[in-house]
Amino acid sequence: MPQSEKEQFLQTYDREHTITMRVLNAFPKDKGDFRPHERLKTARELAWVIALERYLGMRVFHDEFAKGMPTGSTPPKPPETWDALLAGIEKGSREYRDMISAAPDADLSKQVHFLTAPKTMGTTPRIDWLWFLLSDEIHHRGQFSLYVRAVGAKLPSIYGPTADEPWF
């Protein structure tokens, strides 16, 4: 029996999030303030982007941007410890996944509002938004993998062998 769009998404989400957490767990807990360049985020800030995206994803999924960009809402700052940060990412990921899993399949084709270009609000199907946000997690994981290497930690396999995790 073919998988629904939702099942396909959740299967991919689970796989990609597991890889992301392996990369984040490879980072030394005591290097959270590492910043490879003055214009880049610290490791803690970059890792926390993944949690913030789940927060944003849930707001967009519920179409909270239908009347434009909300004001006065400040996202939470990253926790001070690496363990608390990873726990926060995992918690947000579970809540996000549970929200998607509980939604009827038909709801994924409904339109939601969000930015579609600079300073331009538009609509997109929920399923497209979900895939966009997952792609962005993968993008930030790629950025973070450079932080892992830059601090001298061992980089785990992402889609294949690494110098630190050969497959043969």
Side-chain angles (χ1 to χ4, degrees), residues 117-139:
K119 300 180 185 193
T120 305
M121 191 65 70
T123 60
T124 187
R126 273 192 182 122
I127 190 67
D128 291 354
W129 169 254
L130 297 175
W131 283 109
F132 165 78
L133 215 52
L134 179 58
S135 295
D136 206 43
E137 176 178 331
I138 294 166
H139 158 75

Side-chain angles (χ1 to χ4, degrees), residues 50-137:
I50 295 164
L52 295 178
E53 286 184 336
R54 297 305 151 252
Y55 168 76
L56 175 64
M58 292 179 8
R59 294 185 70 195
V60 172
F61 192 90
H62 294 298
D63 209 18
E64 292 181 24
F65 294 81
K67 294 181 180 171
M69 293 295 287
T71 58
S73 178
T74 304
K77 295 206 180 298
E80 290 298 320
T81 70
W82 197 253
D83 287 336
L85 181 134
L86 294 181
I89 292 170
E90 285 287 27
K91 180 180 183 291
S93 176
R94 273 191 312 280
E95 291 171 355
Y96 183 72
R97 189 199 191 287
D98 290 348
M99 175 196 68
I100 296 164
S101 184
D105 287 6
D107 280 3
L108 297 185
S109 61
K110 291 182 179 176
Q111 299 287 311
V112 292
H113 296 79
F114 198 65
L115 297 169
T116 55
K119 300 180 185 193
T120 305
M121 191 65 70
T123 60
T124 187
R126 273 192 182 122
I127 190 67
D128 291 354
W129 169 254
L130 297 175
W131 283 109
F132 165 78
L133 215 52
L134 179 58
S135 295
D136 206 43
E137 176 178 331

Side-chain angles (χ1 to χ4, degrees), residues 33-46:
D33 290 329
F34 173 73
R35 182 187 309 264
H37 186 275
E38 65 190 33
R39 293 186 63 197
L40 297 176
K41 295 181 180 309
T42 66
R44 210 164 41 90
E45 291 166 338
L46 179 58

